[in-house]
Amino acid sequence: MAIDPVCKMQVEETRAAATTIYQGKTYYFCAPGCKRAFEKEPEKYLGKSG
Ligand SMILES: [Zn+2]
């Protein structure tokens, strides 16, 4: 299982609603809206602000 970095939900890689590659790493999302939010401000969701 992967963790959706936007909403912190567990996402099964094979069933993810959306994926993106950022800095060489694949991220999985529960919904297209989470992907859009991540792509808009990826650093916000990658721990730089907690
Ligand atoms: Zn999500």
Side-chain angles (χ1 to χ4, degrees), residues 4 6-9 11 29-31 34:
D4 180 327
V6 174
C7 66
K8 312 297 185 192
M9 208 173 101
V11 179
F29 303 95
C30 68
C34 283

Side-chain angles (χ1 to χ4, degrees), residues 1-22 24-39 45-46:
M1 296 289 268
I3 302 290
D4 180 327
V6 174
C7 66
K8 312 297 185 192
M9 208 173 101
Q10 286 195 325
V11 179
E12 199 174 318
E13 287 90 335
T14 55
R15 301 182 68 180
T19 65
T20 195
I21 296 173
Y22 178 70
K25 191 176 188 313
T26 305
Y27 294 92
Y28 299 86
F29 303 95
C30 68
C34 283
K35 176 183 175 176
R36 282 197 295 274
F38 180 84
E39 288 182 335
Y45 298 108
L46 295 180

